[in-house]
Amino acid sequence: MMTANGTKSRSTGSDSCVQCKVVILGAAGVGKTALTVRFLTKRFIGEYCPTLESIYKYQAQMDDEDVRMEILDTAGQSPGNWKDGYAMWPDCFMFVYSITDRTTFEEIISIKRQVENMRKSTTINGVLVGNKLDLLHDRQISFLEGSELADQIGCRFYEVSAADWTQVTVISDLFCDLYREYRKSRYVRDSRQRKTSSSVRFKQAIQKVISGKTAPRRTPTL
Ligand SMILES: Nc1nc2c(ncn2[C@@H]2O[C@H](COP(=O)(O)OP(=O)(O)OP(=O)(O)O)[C@@H](O)[C@H]2O)c(=O)[nH]1
């Protein structure tokens, strides 16, 4: 199983590290900072100043790889007011809503749409997170609705509570899963590039032979 037993990054300067940039998006007050702080420090601090924008660096062993994560905790503002960087900078996305607030759930659709519009792509590595699971008595969004939305936007789905200390491992796992999604997509992209460049090399070789620049190899006669 993947573990995230890392410590907050004090840049080691190691070049073998895989870089992974994560952005946390969601309406104001859904717990973006609480989730990030829980992941990084294993702590929950009841009150946070509304975030303007914070970036955290974190280094960990994930699936035997040294991973250097940069986590951008954004301000919960409407997607129309975003900077381009929110969509263009990251390798992967964490979309967060609160299970106690339907408007935050509905906002995920427009957040995802804005990301797609800015990136000009519908292929996005991400996870969908319903936070505040400890407030079950105030639940407005069922687990089923959450998982259906996750299917619709093409993300894995988690319900968690940043406030519940027993969920530390689940929260670590969800950040690790995010990295896994990214790694998978990187692998697909790299193998596509390898395929393209080898077929380009093949075409160039054929072209050279046709134009007579390179003589085809002859089989030595005995
Ligand atoms: N009960 C409960 N409260 C939570 C949980 N996560 C966050 N909160 C509370 O929700 C409030 C908002 O949390 P933040 O982490 O600041 O939310 P945010 O999404 O970063 O908010 P902005 O920075 O304004 O965008 C705080 O009072 C937190 O204590 C949770 O899992 N359960």
Side-chain angles (χ1 to χ4, degrees), residues 121-140:
S121 168
T122 51
T123 314
I124 281 159
N125 310 309
V127 293
L128 176 66
V129 180
N131 188 36
K132 306 201 183 183
L133 189 58
D134 55 299
L135 302 178
L136 272 179
H137 49 284
D138 284 332
R139 189 196 265 280
Q140 289 186 7

Side-chain angles (χ1 to χ4, degrees), residues 26-35 44-52 73-77 131-135 160-164:
V30 294
K32 299 183 293 297
T33 305
L35 284 167
F44 177 74
I45 304 153
E47 285 310 316
Y48 302 88
C49 294
T51 312
L52 290 176
D73 176 15
T74 61
Q77 57 194 228
N131 188 36
K132 306 201 183 183
L133 189 58
D134 55 299
L135 302 178
V160 296
S161 165
D164 178 353

